[in-house]
């Protein structure tokens, strides 16, 4: 096992990774920007290195600075967390070239999943159902018109290097295609430096359902069930739950078994998430996330498995040591992402935390690097805490979540706690009757 791990991230996830390392007897190195000198992940780590000024491009995305920090402190491995460099195949390769283990999949799989067409083709060839569409990049307007006619309107335009909704556009008819393509290309170019697009049949009321997988380097693969992440606004998830309320036992079993088998045949190692759209009882693969995800705790709560610990173990070459039949699923879990944002306008609200009290009690977990007196810098994502609640049933989970949100005190900045309180009281949410467009409609109808 590793003796020392460098955590190339910040905030709650840096703290989450530190906690797993601590419990494994692994020393930690924190890296931080000048804006994060007082951050909790820096305070708790065994060592820390300042890697640059506040802008992420000069610190948390600064590969030479991170490698230099590793050269100075001598970790065995580097954990990238999520966001920043987590899915950067180039970074993973550089980490390995410098003699450190990258805690994540191999660069070839990062590269494959970064190319959405390559990922789709690989998954389709392994028996995963995919969304019907073009299996090559769109070259020009004429070809796009032909493809769209073949697939049938409405169609979705997507960036090949995409993810997160950048470059995503819905086209209702041929008269709109040229303009939508120009806009999608421009967005994709500025977001990813690559304006290549592909096209799919547009599904009008899908849910977003994703399957958690874990694979070691010795051929063992397990799935850890699915999560419903349909509660999103502008492609930012607000709340996630497991198991997905929309699936019956058969649908769940079929989906998860198919995914685990495909991941095994892919030769993939590490933690990963396979994302689907689900509509009218059918699953459609959209992409695979080759990283630890923000919402991993809901899976931890229903399985009792520490996903970060497992991710570190398999990166060190350890065998899983258990099979699918050893994994048991218990009850229901929901995560609310708490952002430092105005609860109505959702504009960022950085600043100093003047008073802080986190909820607790049976079945309540808070993943956060906040403390009283902490100043939230304006330079990064506004996620400041995750409230994760477990219950024997979805109803118990909901009651507990309501109670936990009432207890949470964060003063000094605006937070999205009031929004979550309204959301979980909505009959559609209580009934599990929501798709990926539900939240947008809910927010629009109230403004
Ligand atoms: C789709 C879709 C409908 N049909 N693809 C948006 C970003 C990207 N990650 C996947 N997205 C979608 N792809 C087809 N063929 C609807 C969405 C979508 C969506 C997906 C997941 C979660 C929230 C969403 C919100 C709006 C649109």
């Amino acid at each position: 096992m590793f003796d020392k791990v460098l955590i190339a991230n910040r905030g709650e996830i840096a703290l989450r990774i530190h906690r797993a390392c601590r419990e494994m007897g692994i020393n930690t190195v924190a890296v931080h920007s000048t804006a994060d000198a007082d951050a909790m992940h820096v305070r708790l780590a065994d060592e820390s290195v300042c890697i640059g000024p506040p802008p992420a491009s000069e610190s948390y995305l600064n590969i030479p600075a991170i490698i230099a920090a590793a050269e100075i402190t001598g970790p065995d491995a580097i954990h990238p967390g999520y966001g920043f460099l987590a899915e950067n195949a180039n970074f993973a390769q550089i980490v390995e070239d410098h003699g450190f283990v990258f805690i994540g999949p191999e660069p070839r799989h990062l590269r494959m999943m970064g190319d959405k067409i390559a990922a789709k083709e690989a998954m389709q060839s392994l028996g995963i159902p995919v969304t019907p569409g073009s299996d090559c990049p769109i070259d020009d307007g004429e070809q796009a018109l032909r493809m769209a006619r073949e697939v049938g309107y409405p169609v979705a335009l997507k960036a090949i290097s995409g993810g997160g909704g950048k470059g995503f556009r819905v086209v209702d008819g041929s008269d709109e295609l040229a303009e939508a393509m120009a806009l999608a290309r421009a967005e994709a170019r500025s977001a990813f430096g690559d304006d290549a697009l592909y096209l799919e049949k547009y599904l009008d009321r899908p849910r977003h359902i994703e399957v958690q997988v874990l694979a070691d380097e010795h051929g063992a693969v397990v799935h850890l069930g699915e999560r419903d992440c349909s509660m999103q606004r502008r492609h930012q998830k607000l709340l996630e739950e497991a198991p997905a309320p929309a699936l019956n036992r058969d649908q769940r079993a079929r989906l998860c078994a198919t995914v685990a088998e495909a991941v095994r045949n892919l030769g993939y190692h590490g933690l990963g998430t396979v994302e689907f759209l689900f509509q009218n009882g059918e699953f459609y693969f959209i992409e695979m996330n080759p990283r630890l995800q923000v919402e991993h705790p809901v899976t931890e709560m229903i399985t009792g498995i520490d996903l970060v610990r497992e991710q570190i173990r398999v990166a060190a070459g350890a065998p899983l040591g258990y099979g699918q039949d050893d994994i048991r699923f218990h009850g229901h879990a929901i995560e609310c992402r708490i952002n430092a944002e105005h609860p109505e306008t959702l504009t960022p609200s950085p600043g100093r935390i003047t008073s802080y009290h986190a909820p607790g009690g049976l079945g309540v977990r808070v993943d956060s690097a906040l403390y009283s007196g902490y100043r939230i810098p304006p330079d990064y994502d506004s996620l400041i805490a995750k409230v994760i609640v477990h219950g024997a049933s979805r109803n118990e989970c909901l009651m507990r979540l309501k109670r936990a949100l009432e207890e949470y005190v964060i003063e000094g900045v605006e937070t999205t706690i009031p929004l979550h309180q309204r959301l979980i009281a909505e009959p559609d949410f209580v009934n599990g009757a929501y798709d990926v467009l539900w939240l947008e409609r809910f927010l629009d109808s109230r403004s």
Side-chain angles (χ1 to χ4, degrees):
M1 191 38 63
F2 305 133
D3 294 318
K4 194 192 272 195
V5 166
L6 183 144
I7 302 164
N9 215 300
R10 64 179 303 282
E12 68 85 20
I13 200 63
L15 184 55
R16 170 71 188 84
I17 296 161
H18 167 83
R19 285 171 170 159
C21 289
R22 255 285 175 282
E23 293 178 11
M24 298 172 82
I26 298 170
N27 288 318
T28 57
V29 181
V31 295
H32 65 90
S33 70
T34 52
D36 279 339
D38 295 327
M40 187 60 98
H41 81 279
V42 176
R43 289 193 184 189
L44 288 178
D46 295 291
E47 296 170 78
S48 65
V49 181
C50 181
I51 51 167
S57 59
E58 296 173 55
S59 50
Y60 298 103
L61 291 168
N62 184 342
I63 296 175
I66 291 165
I67 296 295
E71 297 281 13
I72 291 163
T73 55
D76 303 291
I78 298 182
H79 197 307
Y82 55 66
F84 297 130
L85 297 167
E87 292 166 84
N88 186 319
N90 195 33
F91 176 63
Q93 188 63 59
I94 292 167
V95 166
E96 300 274 334
D97 290 347
H98 283 77
F100 307 111
V101 174
F102 178 79
I103 301 177
E106 291 164 44
R108 72 182 175 106
H109 285 125
L110 289 174
R111 223 161 261 129
M112 178 191 287
M113 300 314 164
D115 177 332
K116 306 301 164 189
I117 287 186
K120 244 180 109 169
E121 283 189 332
M123 286 301 187
Q124 185 170 28
S125 75
L126 295 169
I128 297 281
V130 304
T131 318
S134 67
D135 42 20
C136 59
I138 298 171
D139 291 326
D140 56 62
E142 283 302 308
Q143 186 211 22
L145 281 166
R146 275 199 307 277
M147 287 176 181
R149 195 174 326 117
E150 216 169 283
V151 165
Y153 291 96
V155 298
L157 294 175
K158 298 186 178 187
I160 288 181
S161 299
K166 293 270 166 54
F168 173 76
R169 279 234 144 44
V170 183
V171 184
D172 288 317
S174 57
D175 51 324
E176 296 171 15
L177 187 58
E179 191 188 339
M181 258 173 58
L183 292 167
R185 273 207 206 284
E187 213 172 281
R189 192 182 310 115
S190 81
F192 315 111
D194 171 19
D195 68 359
L197 302 178
Y198 66 110
L199 178 153
E200 282 181 352
K201 175 80 192 157
Y202 176 70
L203 306 171
D204 63 349
R205 303 189 63 101
R207 301 186 192 232
H208 174 126
I209 290 175
E210 57 184 35
V211 179
Q212 180 73 63
V213 294
L214 175 65
D216 70 15
E217 292 176 3
H218 312 281
V221 182
V222 295
H223 72 76
L224 295 145
E226 85 290 355
R227 301 181 283 256
D228 190 319
C229 306
S230 300
M231 202 57 92
Q232 310 201 2
R233 178 190 176 259
R234 297 190 187 159
H235 308 293
Q236 296 290 330
K237 295 169 184 163
L238 257 81
L239 176 158
E240 305 91 354
E241 60 180 315
L247 298 193
N248 65 35
R249 213 189 245 271
D250 285 356
Q251 289 166 325
R252 173 171 301 119
R254 180 165 58 89
L255 174 69
C256 292
T258 310
V259 167
E261 188 53 25
V263 167
R264 183 192 330 276
N265 291 325
L266 201 59
Y268 183 93
H269 310 305
L271 200 59
T273 301
V274 184
E275 294 189 342
F276 292 87
L277 299 178
F278 176 66
Q279 181 169 303
N280 298 330
E282 301 288 338
F283 296 101
Y284 305 88
F285 170 83
I286 44 172
E287 41 192 89
M288 180 168 184
N289 298 324
R291 60 159 194 274
L292 176 68
Q293 290 197 269
V294 177
E295 59 271 28
H296 76 277
V298 294
T299 299
E300 296 185 322
M301 300 293 266
I302 63 163
T303 60
I305 295 174
D306 180 334
L307 290 181
V308 181
R309 177 191 180 93
E310 295 308 295
Q311 190 185 26
I312 294 169
R313 283 183 55 236
V314 302
L320 279 188
Y322 49 85
Q324 191 66 55
D325 293 344
D326 299 313
I327 296 167
R328 292 277 178 279
F329 297 91
H330 299 281
H332 199 92
I334 302 179
E335 171 180 277
C336 288
R337 296 188 185 193
I338 313 298
N339 286 358
E341 289 172 356
H342 190 283
E344 307 275 336
T345 62
L346 298 179
T347 52
S349 175
R352 192 180 166 81
I353 306 289
T354 54
S355 175
Y356 186 75
H357 175 80
L362 182 64
V364 177
R365 163 176 172 184
V366 177
D367 277 21
S368 175
L370 291 186
Y371 58 87
S372 191
Y374 175 65
R375 183 179 292 281
I376 301 164
D379 309 274
Y380 310 105
D381 189 272
S382 57
L383 179 76
I384 51 170
K386 305 186 304 205
V387 177
I388 310 106
V389 164
H390 182 261
S393 63
R394 188 169 186 268
N395 189 51
E396 184 178 283
C397 191
L398 282 171
M399 298 299 281
R400 188 162 280 159
L401 179 57
K402 179 170 185 288
R403 182 279 276 177
L405 292 174
E406 281 166 6
E407 279 181 33
Y408 211 162
V409 178
I410 303 176
E411 283 171 7
V413 300
E414 303 269 19
T415 81
T416 50
I417 292 171
L419 171 59
H420 282 290
Q421 289 177 305
R422 279 177 14 215
L423 211 57
I424 66 169
E426 279 295 309
D428 283 346
F429 180 70
V430 172
N431 296 326
Y434 60 97
D435 58 31
V436 301
L437 300 177
W438 186 91
L439 181 61
E440 216 96 39
R441 279 197 299 262
F442 172 71
L443 292 170
D444 286 351
S445 73
R446 307 179 50 92
S447 58

